[in-house]
């Protein structure tokens, strides 16, 4: 019997069971599994990844909780108040705190396939009751090997830079070429970090331009983002490469509008998204708004595009997302 924690069946052989949705990994680990690809973060892989720490450098990948500002997707801005609860004793209070407003992990309870439901056949009622929640990810913490794919840097290197305020498609071919140019190979159980340069661009805009971009996220017909796609091909690549977690420096990971990556936009359905194909069908969590520019600058200096990562999401029972509290060590 093959141990799915160490060897996964190729994407072309999915699904595992005849009654599971096409291109899904449902039932691979257990009929009621809630961790999905996080099952690949085995003790042996964590121990191997820890050996990547050589210089003691640390890179925090989270934004401050009050960034980005303005907020995206109609979420309220967080309000922070310092209280004097006793003489000389201070405390904090947060109002309007959206765990997915800043740098975040999406729990597998965040997104469902419109036909088949949430990962591993869980229903919306089960997700609302706490199945697939962020606490499932946070229970023992997360650790392993992180690999940075500096797509923005590679495109500049080959003389083909792209506008961060556009729907530039990071295809499988571009992702492969980026990793090849870096001399980097993905291994089973990796956290793949994809740098488009979008977040650094956004944070560097004047206040009025930041407002324009944030406002456009509320009007999805005008919103534009670089990102990964098309989803079916990218799902196959990520699965066969053994990626356990995927994060990017954008608000959505995938290109937006998604139809920018599709040959026939008239055939698009809501399930042609990375969120449906990668999260709901394959159980790979997505991370958004990750701070990758300082890490990329250091990787360019020493030509090492990997490191040891740790992540301690909030232990919010039934939570749908959380700040990731990610540090990459080199």
């Amino acid at each position: 019997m093959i141990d799915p924690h160490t060897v996964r069946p190729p994407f072309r052989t999915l699904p595992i069971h005849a009654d599971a949705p096409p291109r899904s990994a449902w039932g691979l680990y257990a009929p009621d599994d809630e961790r999905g690809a996080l099952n690949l973060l085995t003790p042996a892989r964590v121990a191997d990844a820890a050996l990547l720490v050589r210089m003691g450098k640390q890179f925090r990948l989270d934004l401050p909780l009050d960034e980005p500002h303005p907020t995206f997707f109609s979420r309220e801005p967080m309000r922070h108040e310092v209280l004097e609860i006793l003489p000389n004793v201070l405390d904090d209070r947060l109002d309007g705190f959206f765990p997915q407003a800043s740098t975040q992990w999406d729990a597998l309870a965040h997104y469902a396939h419109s036909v088949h439901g949430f990962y591993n056949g869980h229903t919306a009622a089960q997700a609302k009751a706490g199945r697939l929640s962020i606490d499932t990810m946070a229970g023992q913490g997360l650790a392993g090997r992180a690999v940075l794919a500096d797509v923005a840097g590679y495109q500049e290197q080959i003389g083909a830079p792209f506008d961060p305020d556009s729907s530039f498609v990071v295809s499988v071919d571009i992702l492969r070429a980026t990793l090849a140019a870096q001399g980097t190979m993905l291994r089973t159980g990796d956290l793949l970090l994809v740098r488009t340069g979008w977040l650094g661009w956004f944070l560097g805009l004047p206040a009025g331009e930041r407002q324009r971009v944030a406002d456009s996220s509320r009007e999805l017909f005008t919103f534009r983002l670089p990102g990964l796609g098309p989803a079916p091909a990218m799902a196959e690549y990520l699965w066969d490469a053994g990626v356990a977690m995927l994060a990017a420096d954008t608000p959505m990971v995938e290109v937006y509008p998604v139809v920018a990556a599709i040959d026939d936009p008239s055939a698009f359905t809501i399930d042609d998204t990375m969120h449906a194909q990668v999260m709901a069908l394959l159980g790979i969590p997505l991370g958004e708004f990750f701070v990758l520019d300082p890490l990329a600058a250091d990787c360019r200096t020493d030509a090492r595009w990997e490191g040891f990562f740790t992540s301690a999401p909030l232990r919010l029972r039934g939570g749908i997302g959380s700040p990731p509290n990610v540090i990459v060590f080199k």
Side-chain angles (χ1 to χ4, degrees):
M1 178 180 294
I2 295 176
D3 180 0
H5 297 79
T6 56
V7 178
R8 290 196 295 184
F11 185 86
R12 68 177 183 276
T13 68
L14 297 178
I16 305 301
H17 303 293
D19 57 351
R23 300 183 293 192
S24 79
W26 295 8
L28 176 62
Y29 297 103
D32 59 349
D33 175 60
E34 298 181 62
R35 287 179 59 79
L38 298 182
N39 283 289
L40 297 174
L41 301 178
T42 61
R45 291 195 177 107
V46 174
D48 285 344
L51 299 176
L52 297 171
V53 182
R54 301 176 188 173
M55 303 300 293
K57 296 179 181 180
Q58 300 175 207
F59 297 88
R60 186 72 189 262
L61 305 190
D62 304 75
L63 285 167
L65 288 176
D66 58 354
E67 289 284 358
H69 182 77
T71 53
F72 281 65
F73 307 121
S74 300
R75 296 181 175 116
E76 298 175 14
M78 184 190 71
R79 298 178 297 281
H80 176 211
E81 183 179 3
V82 176
L83 307 174
E84 187 169 2
I85 58 174
L86 291 171
N88 302 314
V89 180
L90 302 181
D91 208 343
D92 295 282
R93 178 168 65 199
L94 300 180
D95 290 320
F97 174 48
F98 284 72
Q100 290 166 281
S102 185
T103 310
Q104 65 185 271
W105 283 128
D106 288 338
L108 295 181
H110 174 61
Y111 204 94
H113 190 281
S114 68
V115 176
H116 305 296
F118 291 87
Y119 169 70
N120 220 17
H122 289 88
T123 65
Q126 289 175 313
K128 291 177 181 178
R131 302 285 291 183
L132 305 175
S133 77
I134 199 69
D135 193 43
T136 303
M137 297 173 63
Q140 64 186 39
L142 306 166
R145 179 180 182 247
V147 168
L148 175 64
D150 185 7
V151 172
Y154 171 71
Q155 292 298 125
E156 291 175 3
Q157 178 185 328
I158 64 172
F162 59 90
D163 181 3
D165 197 15
S166 72
S167 301
F168 179 80
V169 180
V170 180
S171 66
V172 170
D173 287 345
I174 289 175
L175 198 53
R176 281 196 176 116
T178 300
L179 293 170
Q182 296 175 180
T184 309
M185 294 186 63
L186 291 172
R187 302 173 189 161
T188 300
D190 282 349
L191 160 59
L192 175 60
L193 303 167
V194 179
R195 177 181 175 266
T196 68
W198 182 90
L199 184 57
W201 165 80
F202 174 79
L203 295 177
L205 291 174
E209 279 297 287
R210 289 200 307 272
Q211 187 70 59
R212 174 191 65 80
V213 176
D215 286 347
S216 72
S217 75
R218 299 170 175 84
E219 302 291 337
L220 292 182
F221 294 107
T222 62
F223 195 36
R224 297 289 183 270
L225 277 177
L228 277 65
M234 190 60 67
E236 179 173 9
Y237 172 74
L238 295 170
W239 178 265
D240 287 342
V243 170
M245 310 179 78
L246 171 66
D249 59 348
T250 75
M252 295 180 70
V253 175
E254 57 191 308
V255 64
Y256 198 85
V258 177
V259 294
I262 295 175
D263 292 333
D264 182 5
S266 65
F268 170 77
T269 73
I270 193 63
D271 296 320
D272 291 321
T273 62
M274 292 281 293
H275 282 67
Q277 298 279 322
V278 173
M279 289 188 68
L281 294 184
L282 299 181
I284 300 174
L286 300 182
E288 296 153 349
F289 287 119
F290 272 53
V291 179
L292 301 178
D293 288 359
L295 176 61
D298 188 78
C299 291
R300 283 192 291 271
T301 298
D302 65 8
R304 292 184 61 229
W305 299 88
E306 61 183 359
F308 177 59
F309 85 89
T310 64
S311 175
L314 299 179
R315 299 203 65 176
L316 177 61
R317 290 192 177 99
I320 305 303
S322 168
N325 302 314
V326 168
I327 301 175
V328 169
F329 300 84
K330 292 182 67 180

